[in-house]
Amino acid sequence: MKASSEISSDNAQTEKQQVVITSYDERDFKTDGLRAYAAYRDLGIAAGTHGLVQAHVLRFTVPFNREVMSKLHYHGTKFQMIYVLKGWIKAELEGVGEQLIKQGGCYTQPPYIKHKVTGYSDDCEVLEIIMPAEFETVELEK
């Protein structure tokens, strides 16, 4: 059995993970992430796992605008989970349809699933956990 501080990736490399501890600081929210209409608080997990996993809190910073924010796309991930910390979010997922996820709820987005955000509350904040930390996003609607 491997120690809990080690993990094997798909290509059989074993890298020792680091303990990552973060504390809340409002100044940690940055607006240079994937979505221009959201602020991201990186939780430092990517560095601690050598890029195996990314975790961040995403806070929507402007009211929902369907023309700007509701574009069909997919991510080249192996795993993605979204947990709603505050408010609610609506997402349309390929093969599932539109779903309303409220505070305390979560959903996964399987690899390469086509999806789009179709609404969110003004106070919406979500925790995203994604594998791997670096991944491709392909927009299907302009």
Side-chain angles (χ1 to χ4, degrees), residues 14-134:
T14 302
E15 297 189 57
K16 186 174 173 98
Q17 294 186 32
Q18 301 168 349
V19 172
V20 176
I21 299 170
T22 62
S23 297
Y24 181 82
D25 187 332
E26 186 66 28
R27 296 171 295 182
D28 290 337
F29 282 91
K30 308 294 183 205
T31 56
D32 58 354
L34 176 62
R35 297 164 190 91
Y37 50 87
Y40 294 78
R41 179 177 165 238
D42 180 21
L43 299 178
I45 306 302
T49 63
H50 307 285
L52 183 66
V53 179
Q54 175 188 135
H56 57 245
V57 174
L58 184 151
R59 174 187 292 160
F60 293 99
T61 56
V62 297
F64 181 75
N65 178 332
R66 184 172 300 278
E67 290 180 21
V68 173
M69 301 161 188
S70 189
K71 299 189 189 249
L72 190 65
H73 65 284
Y74 66 84
H75 306 292
T77 61
K78 292 184 179 186
F79 174 82
Q80 184 174 11
M81 188 217 48
I82 298 93
Y83 178 88
V84 180
L85 297 166
K86 289 175 61 177
W88 56 266
I89 188 168
K90 283 184 188 176
E92 186 176 309
L93 305 164
E94 178 181 30
V96 178
E98 186 175 66
Q99 300 295 309
L100 171 63
I101 313 299
K102 297 177 183 178
Q103 181 174 326
C106 73
Y107 63 101
T108 59
Q109 291 180 169
Y112 299 94
I113 188 172
K114 295 173 187 167
H115 64 281
K116 61 183 169 182
V117 173
T118 57
Y120 56 76
S121 63
D122 289 342
D123 64 342
C124 186
E125 286 188 18
V126 300
L127 168 67
E128 286 189 318
I129 299 173
I130 308 162
M131 292 177 63
E134 297 292 325

Side-chain angles (χ1 to χ4, degrees), residues 127-141:
L127 168 67
E128 286 189 318
I129 299 173
I130 308 162
M131 292 177 63
E134 297 292 325
F135 58 90
E136 177 184 32
T137 296
V138 175
E139 192 172 293
L140 301 170
E141 292 179 356

